[in-house]
Amino acid sequence: ENISVIVNPLPATPQILALTDTVFCEGGSVKLVLTKSDKSGKFGWSRNFNRELGNFKDIGSTNTSDTTSLKVSGTELVRGFVTDNKDCNSMLSNAIQVVKKDNPKVVNIVQKGTYTLVARADKPAEEYVWKLNGKVLAIKDTVIRANEDGKYSVLGKNTYKVKSSSTPLNCLSTESSLDLVTYDD
């Protein structure tokens, strides 16, 4: 008795690309695009080694219906795959490591005496950006001597080196402000 076995070829392995930097500050994201390798219409993502299934969609005028996208806003290792009309999955695509860097925590301004302002945060930032009436001051420390009346503000700044870029990534806290009026005797 003869038994016939049909071996279906796997769909071609797709590729994924990042449309922006894969390292970003908290609150940011990266858009990944998966290039479909056949005309089956099914795709999936492997995120931190967990697979998710979906369907291809047209993602806009700059791309054709042969691509789809995924918005990633956290630290994840992402790969893509396609499924053909026989429910055969391709091999996983190239991997893209996405990294979210933390912003500094909220910084508060505490007035110590008449002319001294201190930046306080639950976790200190690498440096502080002080402003007087919206103009950046040269001082980057936690303590400044405020010798003019006006609106002082401060925000925390952490700088990260990014392998894929010559420009470092600067992540900022929200800005806190204080209206300072000094009284000369």
Side-chain angles (χ1 to χ4, degrees), residues 3-149:
I3 299 174
S4 65
V5 176
I6 298 172
V7 177
N8 295 316
L10 293 178
T13 304
Q15 292 294 310
I16 57 174
L17 302 168
L19 298 183
T20 56
D21 282 333
T22 57
V23 181
F24 49 83
C25 298
E26 188 177 338
S29 64
V30 63
K31 188 175 188 179
L32 302 180
V33 176
L34 176 75
T35 304
K36 194 166 75 163
S37 62
D38 64 9
K39 304 299 179 199
S40 66
K42 290 184 182 177
F43 73 95
W45 295 99
S46 171
R47 299 170 74 167
N48 299 321
F49 308 103
N50 296 315
R51 288 186 177 221
E52 301 172 10
L53 295 172
N55 292 306
F56 276 105
K57 299 176 201 126
D58 188 348
I59 60 167
S61 59
T62 58
N63 296 295
T64 68
S65 58
D66 290 339
T67 59
T68 193
S69 66
L70 176 70
K71 180 180 174 184
V72 181
S73 55
T75 298
E76 296 186 50
L77 180 69
V78 182
R79 296 175 186 251
F81 63 94
V82 294
T83 305
D84 67 13
N85 55 10
K86 295 178 180 76
D87 284 333
C88 294
N89 289 336
S90 70
M91 300 292 286
L92 289 174
S93 72
N94 55 305
I96 292 186
Q97 178 66 58
V98 176
V99 179
K100 175 191 76 169
K101 296 291 189 181
D102 292 332
N103 293 332
K105 300 300 174 213
V106 174
V107 180
N108 293 307
I109 299 175
V110 178
Q111 187 171 352
K112 296 275 189 175
T114 308
Y115 300 105
T116 305
L117 300 179
V118 180
R120 287 260 168 88
D122 289 342
K123 183 179 176 191
E126 290 173 5
E127 84 180 43
Y128 295 90
V129 179
W130 287 93
K131 297 178 187 175
L132 171 58
N133 299 323
K135 184 180 175 191
V136 176
L137 301 174
I139 302 157
K140 297 180 180 184
D141 299 328
T142 21
V143 180
I144 67 166
R145 179 146 173 86
N147 51 8
E148 284 182 53
D149 293 351

Side-chain angles (χ1 to χ4, degrees), residues 20-25 97-101 158-171:
T20 56
D21 282 333
T22 57
V23 181
F24 49 83
C25 298
Q97 178 66 58
V98 176
V99 179
K100 175 191 76 169
K101 296 291 189 181
N158 287 345
T159 302
Y160 301 96
K161 281 187 131 186
V162 179
K163 284 182 190 176
S164 61
S165 174
S166 59
T167 307
L169 176 67
N170 294 313
C171 296

